[in-house]
Structure formats: C-alpha cells, structure tokens
Amino acid sequence: KSDNFTTRICCMGAGYAGGPAMTAIAKMCPNIRVSVVDLSHTKIAAWNSPNLPIFERGLLPAVESCRNKNLFFSTNVEEEIKNANIVFIAVDAPTKSSGIGAG
C-alpha cells in the first residue's frame, strides 16, 4: 500500500463492541488504519454520519476526530479483510440452547 500506516486492522461487526473498541484504537494509534465492516448498509451509514447507531459519552467526538483519516466504516467486507494484518470478530454469538452455559 502507498500510505504510511504501520498496521491495518479490520473489525467484522459495527455494533456495541466493534465500533467503540475500534474507535479507541484509532484514536490512540494514528499510525494504524482501522476499518470496521458490517453487512448492514444502514449501520455503516449511521457510523459515517453524525447520528451514530449507539451512544456512549465521548464516542461521537472520538469518531469524528478519526473518521476518514485512520478510521473507516465500510460494507466492503472482503476487500477490507484482504488488506488487513489483524482481523477482529465482534459479531453476535448465538445463545447456547442446551447443556452447561445454556440460557
């Protein structure tokens, strides 16, 4: 790649875990390119707007300070994974229906 990022992170899942966690990484590490991907066009559109899909105190200013600099939100899952050095998975896990830990 022709940019100056030392590392490229892709996080699959733009929900309550992926979005804020990746924003924190992008905010603290400007030399790392952080991409948050999701299949939901609505959710990604919200992350790319002033109306984030979730609220956490301080999240909007943090996103706005990094978005389109080293923090990106996209539905282009395959391309972002292909270009990443590190991939995080932050998607809903199915609830176990039987045995130890069910519920």
Side-chain angles (χ1 to χ4, degrees), residues 27-62:
K27 180 98 173 129
M28 299 303 294
C29 306
N31 59 325
I32 295 177
R33 185 184 195 281
V34 180
S35 298
V36 180
V37 296
D38 203 286
L39 297 176
S40 169
H41 290 271
T42 303
K43 197 177 287 186
I44 292 300
W47 280 105
N48 281 315
S49 80
N51 302 308
L52 301 183
I54 63 173
F55 175 80
E56 284 190 23
R57 189 176 40 150
L59 182 60
L60 180 59

Side-chain angles (χ1 to χ4, degrees), residues 24-103:
I25 291 172
K27 180 98 173 129
M28 299 303 294
C29 306
N31 59 325
I32 295 177
R33 185 184 195 281
V34 180
S35 298
V36 180
V37 296
D38 203 286
L39 297 176
S40 169
H41 290 271
T42 303
K43 197 177 287 186
I44 292 300
W47 280 105
N48 281 315
S49 80
N51 302 308
L52 301 183
I54 63 173
F55 175 80
E56 284 190 23
R57 189 176 40 150
L59 182 60
L60 180 59
V63 168
E64 289 176 335
S65 71
C66 300
R67 187 171 43 211
N68 297 322
K69 294 174 187 155
N70 71 320
L71 177 62
F72 303 89
F73 298 95
S74 173
T75 56
N76 195 346
V77 178
E78 287 185 39
E79 183 71 18
E80 294 295 344
I81 290 173
K82 183 176 79 172
N83 291 326
N85 304 104
I86 301 167
V87 177
F88 288 92
I89 301 173
V91 297
D92 292 336
T95 302
K96 189 173 178 188
S97 59
S98 64
I100 296 172

